[in-house]
Amino acid sequence: MKHFRLNILFLSIGVIGFGVLSGIFMAHDRIAWSIVALLAALICLSLVITLSRKVLHLTSAFVAALENNDRTMRFDAVSDEREIREMSQSMNRIMTIYQRNQLELETCKLYYDRVLRIMTHEMRNSITPVIALANDYSSHPEKYDTAMLSETMGVIGTQADGIKKFLDSYYNLTHLPEPQIKSIEADAFCNRIFTLVRLEEQQRGFIIPVCRFSVPVNMKIDIDADLMTQAVMNILRNALDAVAEVENPRIDISVSISDGIPFISITDNGPGIPDAMKSNLFQPFFSTKPGGSGIGLSLSRQIARLHGGDLTLSSIPQHGTCVIISFSR
C-alpha cells in the first residue's frame, strides 16, 4: 500500500508538471527548462529521502538486534529497490553467521567448563592422599620404618603416575596437529589397520580374527594416515571391548563413498550402549570402562572434523553399535 501511494504521488506530480510545462513552453523555453530541472531535482530528492528512510530503519533494526543479542531477528528481503533487497539479504547472512558463532562460543564454554571441573576433581582426588601422607610423615617420622616408608613412596608414586596420565590425556586432546592430507590407497590404509588391530585381538585373547574389512578396489582416500589411524583404532578398541563377552564376536570395517563423501564405518555386534549414556559419550574424560581415559571418542571426532568431516554414532541396546567417520573428498 505504501508503494502504491508513493507511485500515485509521483504520477500526480508528473501529470501536473506536464500540464504546467505545456503552457510554459509556449511562453518561454528558458523558464520551461528551469522548471523541468527543478521538478526532476524534487523527484530525485523524494526518492533519496524515501530510500534513506528505509536504509535508516533497516540499519537501526539490525544494530538493535545485535545490541540486544536477538539471534532470531530476520529482515524482509522482498523490496522494490534492489539495493534494499540486497542489503536485507546481507544482514540476514550476517545474523546467521553471528548466531552460529555465538552458539559455537557457548558450546565451547560448556565444553571447557566441564573439562575444568573434571580436571579439578581428578587433581584433588589424586593429590589429597599425597598431601596427607607427606603431612603425616612430617609430623610423625618416627613411626615410618623401612617397610612403611617404601609403601608410602609407592602410594605417592602411583598417585603421581595417575596425575601424569591424566595430564597426558588432556594434552593429547588439546594439541592435535594440523592434518597432512595425502591421497593414499584405501586398501593400503586398511592393511595398516588390520596389522594393528590383529595385535589388539591377540592381546585380548581372541584366537580367530574378529575384524572383517570391506574395501572397494582402487579406491583412494585423502587423509592424514597417522591421525586417521589413531581415530579408527580408538573406535576399534572400544568395539573389541564391546564384543569381548559375545558368543560370536564380529566387527565389520568398511570404506565407501556416499553422495561424493568418503567414509569409514565400524559396526560391532556387541550389547550396544544404554540410552542413558549416549548423551555423555562425546564428553571428554567420560568413560564406562575402569581405568579408561574417556578421551577416545572425543579425540576421534576432532580428528574427523580436522579432515572436514565428522564422527557419528548410533547404537541399539542388545543389537550393537555403528560408528561412521566421514571426511572431505
Side-chain angles (χ1 to χ4, degrees):
M1 180 62 73
K2 183 184 295 184
H3 293 300
F4 177 76
R5 289 198 299 268
L6 189 61
N7 291 336
I8 290 296
L9 174 62
F10 290 152
L11 181 62
S12 300
I13 292 174
V15 171
I16 295 172
F18 180 77
V20 172
L21 288 175
S22 297
I24 295 176
F25 263 118
M26 298 177 183
H28 203 292
D29 287 346
R30 181 176 296 177
I31 297 176
W33 283 116
S34 298
I35 293 177
V36 167
L38 178 61
L39 286 175
L42 288 174
I43 291 174
C44 289
L45 180 61
S46 176
L47 288 172
V48 169
I49 291 174
T50 302
L51 189 61
S52 299
R53 285 178 177 174
K54 290 182 179 181
V55 171
L56 183 61
H57 174 74
L58 199 59
T59 305
S60 299
F62 178 69
V63 172
L66 293 178
E67 186 177 11
N68 296 324
N69 197 25
D70 183 2
R71 306 176 205 169
T72 63
M73 175 70 77
R74 289 295 177 270
F75 302 95
D76 187 6
V78 178
S79 174
D80 291 342
E81 292 84 9
R82 180 177 58 84
E83 293 79 4
I84 296 294
R85 187 168 60 251
E86 291 177 353
M87 186 176 180
S88 298
Q89 293 170 349
S90 297
M91 287 180 171
N92 285 335
R93 285 194 294 271
I94 292 172
M95 292 301 294
T96 299
I97 295 171
Y98 174 71
Q99 181 179 10
R100 184 168 59 246
N101 289 343
Q102 287 295 106
L103 182 61
E104 289 178 358
L105 285 174
E106 290 175 5
T107 302
C108 287
K109 182 179 182 302
L110 291 174
Y111 175 85
Y112 285 108
D113 282 349
R114 176 182 172 82
V115 170
L116 185 60
R117 286 197 304 270
I118 293 172
M119 288 185 67
T120 304
H121 176 75
E122 292 294 329
M123 295 290 286
R124 284 176 60 114
N125 285 348
S126 297
I127 205 70
T128 297
V130 175
I131 294 173
L133 287 170
N135 288 338
D136 187 62
Y137 179 77
S138 178
S139 302
H140 308 286
E142 69 282 354
K143 73 177 185 180
Y144 284 84
D145 57 19
T146 303
M148 191 172 181
L149 188 60
S150 177
E151 182 181 349
T152 299
M153 291 300 103
V155 172
I156 292 175
T158 300
Q159 294 301 109
D161 187 56
I163 293 174
K164 183 179 183 304
K165 286 181 178 178
F166 180 81
L167 292 177
D168 286 345
S169 296
Y170 178 75
Y171 183 88
N172 291 334
L173 187 65
T174 55
H175 289 76
L176 278 173
E178 284 296 317
Q180 303 300 311
I181 306 295
K182 294 181 180 179
S183 182
I184 64 172
E185 297 288 343
D187 57 355
F189 176 74
C190 286
N191 286 337
R192 179 181 187 175
I193 297 295
F194 174 79
T195 301
L196 293 172
V197 79
R198 186 60 189 137
L199 291 174
E200 290 278 347
E201 291 174 342
Q202 291 170 351
Q203 291 172 0
R204 295 163 188 258
F206 291 102
I207 299 174
I208 301 174
V210 173
C211 297
R212 306 182 186 185
F213 290 80
S214 174
V215 189
V217 178
N218 298 327
M219 180 179 178
K220 289 192 173 184
I221 49 179
D222 296 333
I223 58 172
D224 182 315
D226 292 335
L227 283 178
M228 193 57 69
T229 296
Q230 185 179 1
V232 172
M233 288 304 299
N234 284 340
I235 306 304
L236 286 175
R237 291 188 188 100
N238 290 339
L240 287 170
D241 289 337
V243 301
E245 304 298 328
V246 175
E247 184 175 352
N248 295 304
R250 176 169 177 169
I251 301 172
D252 293 316
I253 304 104
S254 67
V255 182
S256 188
I257 188 166
S258 176
D259 295 329
I261 299 176
F263 65 89
I264 301 170
S265 69
I266 301 168
T267 306
D268 67 62
N269 64 341
I273 300 170
D275 292 336
M277 293 184 179
K278 289 180 181 178
S279 60
N280 292 317
L281 288 176
F282 292 99
Q283 295 293 336
F285 308 113
F286 173 83
S287 178
T288 60
K289 298 179 291 185
S293 65
I295 68 166
L297 280 175
S298 298
L299 202 62
S300 294
R301 174 176 273 184
Q302 284 196 44
I303 291 172
R305 289 178 174 175
L306 285 173
H307 281 74
D310 205 352
L311 185 151
T312 57
L313 181 149
S314 60
S315 183
I316 302 175
Q318 309 308 320
H319 288 83
T321 301
C322 177
V323 175
I324 295 178
I325 301 175
S326 63
F327 39 94
S328 60
R329 306 177 190 189

